[in-house]
Structures are given as C-alpha cells and as structure tokens.
C-alpha cells in the first residue's frame, strides 16, 4: 500500500477516530550476533564502534532498544547477520522469515 499510487479518493462523510497502535515495549536488551556480510551496514546500524575492523564470521554484541526493531532490522539484512542470543529474538526472526517465505508458496 503506497500513498503515491492512489489515483482517486472520496469522502463518505463518516468520521472515525482510530486508536493509536500499541508500540512494542522498549527494552534495552543485549543482542549477540554473527555477521556474514554487509559489514559496513551492520556496523552502522548497530552502532558498533570498535578499533578493530569487522570481518565475516565475527561475533558482535549490541544493545537494542526494542525487540520489534531488532527483528525488523535483522530480517532486512537478508541473512548477512545471524542472531545468536537472546533465543527469544532468534526464534521470532525465524518465525517472521518463515511467514514471509510461506507467502511465496
């Protein structure tokens, strides 16, 4: 759904106030992951500031402010990062990826 593709809209005269969506609770979880590629993007996205250069198969740790953000971000990296811990985030990434894959069957 993209707003720039709407060619016509019509008001029905009815007004409805929608409640704000409940956001995922903010956390400050530590995320441990292994990087396989896209090293610069991962370093920038997870704010990995270290004196050493990131290399494939390195394990890194980053604090994430939201579980939902971590899941979306890991999924957007298309397999270039693998969540090792915490296991609940790892399982949620697997579940989200499987749901997306099922859409193509």
């Amino acid at each position: 759904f993209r707003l720039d593709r709407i060619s016509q809209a019509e008001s029905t005269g009815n007004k409805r106030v929608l409640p704000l969506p409940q956001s995922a609770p903010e956390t400050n979880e530590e995320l441990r992951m292994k990087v396989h590629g896209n090293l610069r993007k991962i370093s920038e996205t997870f704010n990995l500031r270290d004196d050493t250069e990131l290399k494939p198969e390195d394990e890194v740790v980053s604090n994430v402010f939201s579980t939902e953000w971590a899941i979306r971000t890991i999924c957007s990296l298309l397999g270039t990062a693998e969540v090792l811990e915490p296991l609940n985030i790892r399982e949620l990434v697997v579940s989200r990826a499987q749901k997306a894959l099922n859409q193509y069957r």
Side-chain angles (χ1 to χ4, degrees):
F1 171 66
R2 289 182 43 177
L3 291 176
D4 62 342
R5 293 192 177 167
I6 296 174
S7 60
Q8 183 178 353
E10 187 176 310
S11 175
T12 61
N14 298 331
K15 288 187 179 182
R16 202 169 116 200
V17 177
L18 299 174
L20 291 173
Q22 291 187 355
S23 60
E26 287 193 10
T27 62
N28 195 13
E29 282 193 90
E30 195 172 86
L31 184 69
R32 192 167 67 87
M33 57 193 156
K34 183 184 281 191
V35 296
H36 302 290
N38 210 354
L39 306 176
R40 181 175 178 181
K41 181 173 182 172
I42 292 170
S43 182
E44 291 172 356
T45 300
F46 289 95
N47 202 22
L48 303 173
R49 301 194 192 277
D50 198 318
D51 293 338
T52 61
E53 189 175 319
L54 201 56
K55 297 178 291 303
E57 306 309 313
D58 277 355
E59 289 187 16
V60 296
V61 176
S62 178
N63 287 325
V64 295
F65 66 92
S66 159
T67 299
E68 183 59 32
W69 178 86
I71 294 165
R72 278 194 321 269
T73 303
I74 292 295
C75 288
S76 75
L77 293 171
L78 306 174
T80 60
E82 172 187 355
V83 176
L84 302 174
E85 291 179 337
L87 293 179
N88 68 318
I89 292 179
R90 180 181 171 98
E91 290 167 1
L92 289 167
V93 168
V94 169
S95 175
R96 177 93 40 106
Q98 188 62 54
K99 284 179 186 176
L101 182 61
N102 290 343
Q103 295 296 314
Y104 292 95
R105 293 186 178 172

